[in-house]
Amino acid sequence: MSRPLPITGEQVGAALDKAVEQVRLNLPKYTKKCQNHSSVKGIYPTCKNDEWTCGFWPGEIWLAYERTHDGAFREAGLTLVDSFDRRIRRKVKVAHHDMGFLYTPACVAAYKLTGDQKAREAAILAADQLISRFQPKGEFIQAWGRMGSPINYRFIIDCLLNLPLLYWASQETGDGKYAGIAKRHTATCMANSFRPDGSTFHTFYMKKDGSPGHGRTCQGYQDDSFWARGQAWGVYGSILSYRYTKDPAALDTFKRALAFYLTRLPEDLVPCWDMLFQPDSGEPRDSSSAAIVACGLLEAVRILPREETGEYERLAREMVGSLAANYAVETPVEGTGLILHGTYSKKSPYNTCFPEGVDECTSWGDFYYMEALTRLAEDWDPYW
Ligand code: GLY
């Protein structure tokens, strides 16, 4: 397999329109119920609105609405806002940090695009829930589990994508407390999650006195390996942090994390699920990582001076070109996603995850693929 060609403007339009039609085909199945995190033999099961991933499908609906201005997407997106409003008010499975993954694409997007007040209020309640997990000792947002419990006194690299919800909440309410916590968490994360070579720990424990503990993996192969999606969250999350804070350390972190990611890519620019492996190992890919990194590159192109972005747009076009040419679902039927060969959680002898969604579509892979296409198609105002 040779290095992919950069996707052209015409190919972007065609791929985005194809994605929109898949979303349209799936609307009846996932409007009253949610779409689960990963497909099973290529078809997404439905689920209750109780997973950390339920926001990505509504995010795809809002991207489809932006592309078409078709009222059917708006109506479905607002039906899902009702569900997210109920979830946060009844506190259904919200005792974790993934409020941004849930409420940014489902409710901040809805509010930005329609002015819907229920969406705004639900997203602010979600931001309140997220800051309730801040641990002043150590200055981090605790990812999972009972607050303060020793086995869960840690944060994870993924959380960088939850923080735009907090910056948005501060802008929206005029109350700086949300952004203040986002900045303190980011400083802790940048100091500890990123290793000197630019690779990342998935999770990082703090000691009870607030001093740094140690890195551990949950979904990567082993503690000192290179879980691809964690690296991707680090790339996209650090450039988003830079947009909000203008802290040069965040920009430096983005560059280092990206540089490491690029050194471990196979020729078609879609990594194996852990970048310890190359494709000849037979280990599955994680296509979602490529989509996430492409969005990070395109965010950098959007916010940095042109002379600083060098090859970023070309790289993003190559990554998205690779996904569109070799990973996109070819035959649309109800329930399939947009891109194949994602990996949610693969069990290894050394990690602690529950194995599921290996070599399947993933809801965030689909969302970020569509976001990357939208960024390439137009001057997009990010939900994040
Ligand atoms: N945030 C969890 C994951 O990326 O699988």
Side-chain angles (χ1 to χ4, degrees), residues 297-317:
L297 287 164
L298 293 169
E299 177 65 12
V301 170
R302 204 178 74 84
I303 63 170
L304 296 178
R306 188 176 267 276
E307 60 276 13
E308 278 184 47
T309 59
E311 287 291 288
Y312 292 170
E313 178 161 347
R314 186 186 168 86
L315 262 174
R317 283 186 183 275

Side-chain angles (χ1 to χ4, degrees), residues 114-356:
T114 70
D116 186 77
Q117 288 303 309
K118 191 185 269 188
R120 178 184 181 277
E121 281 168 31
I124 291 170
L125 289 175
D128 286 326
Q129 173 66 22
L130 181 52
I131 60 171
S132 77
R133 298 194 63 83
F134 185 66
Q135 293 287 10
K137 269 219 172 121
E139 308 224 307
F140 66 98
I141 295 172
Q142 187 183 316
W144 307 310
R146 187 171 57 77
M147 287 297 281
S149 84
I151 54 162
N152 284 309
Y153 208 67
R154 58 177 162 172
F155 55 90
I156 74 173
I157 186 81
D158 324 28
C159 191
L160 289 176
L161 272 291
N162 287 317
L163 304 181
L165 178 69
L166 300 184
Y167 292 113
W168 171 83
S170 273
Q171 283 165 1
E172 201 54 40
T173 61
D175 186 337
K177 69 182 175 191
Y178 305 99
I181 284 179
K183 284 180 189 161
R184 288 159 76 186
H185 175 92
T186 302
T188 307
C189 176
M190 287 194 314
N192 297 294
S193 298
F194 294 84
R195 306 181 184 119
D197 64 359
S199 67
T200 51
F201 290 113
H202 179 198
T203 88
F204 195 90
Y205 278 97
M206 299 301 273
K207 295 185 186 150
K208 267 301 171 74
D209 65 2
S211 62
H214 59 281
R216 283 298 311 270
T217 201
C218 171
Q219 285 161 272
Y221 183 75
Q222 59 194 30
D223 292 346
D224 61 355
S225 68
F226 320 109
W227 181 47
R229 196 160 57 258
Q231 195 68 22
W233 295 137
V235 169
Y236 193 10
S238 52
I239 194 69
L240 287 172
S241 295
Y242 179 68
R243 159 145 62 84
Y244 284 106
T245 63
K246 291 288 170 286
D247 178 356
L251 183 57
D252 181 59
T253 302
F254 164 74
K255 289 179 179 168
R256 289 191 304 114
L258 176 65
F260 182 87
Y261 179 83
L262 297 178
T263 62
R264 294 261 162 180
L265 279 184
E267 205 167 13
D268 81 343
L269 307 184
V270 177
C272 290
W273 68 282
D274 191 302
M275 298 177 94
L276 191 60
F277 304 114
Q278 288 297 316
D280 60 6
S281 65
E283 291 286 338
R285 310 282 183 127
D286 178 37
S287 55
S288 75
S289 296
I292 295 162
V293 169
C295 290
L297 287 164
L298 293 169
E299 177 65 12
V301 170
R302 204 178 74 84
I303 63 170
L304 296 178
R306 188 176 267 276
E307 60 276 13
E308 278 184 47
T309 59
E311 287 291 288
Y312 292 170
E313 178 161 347
R314 186 186 168 86
L315 262 174
R317 283 186 183 275
E318 287 174 347
M319 289 174 190
V320 178
S322 183
L323 293 174
N326 297 315
Y327 291 79
V329 168
E330 275 188 11
T331 317
V333 294
E334 188 185 44
T336 54
L338 306 182
I339 52 170
L340 303 165
H341 308 304
T343 293
Y344 177 18
S345 288
K346 184 164 190 293
K347 194 78 193 95
S348 85
Y350 311 107
N351 71 18
T352 56
C353 70
F354 178 77
E356 53 192 337

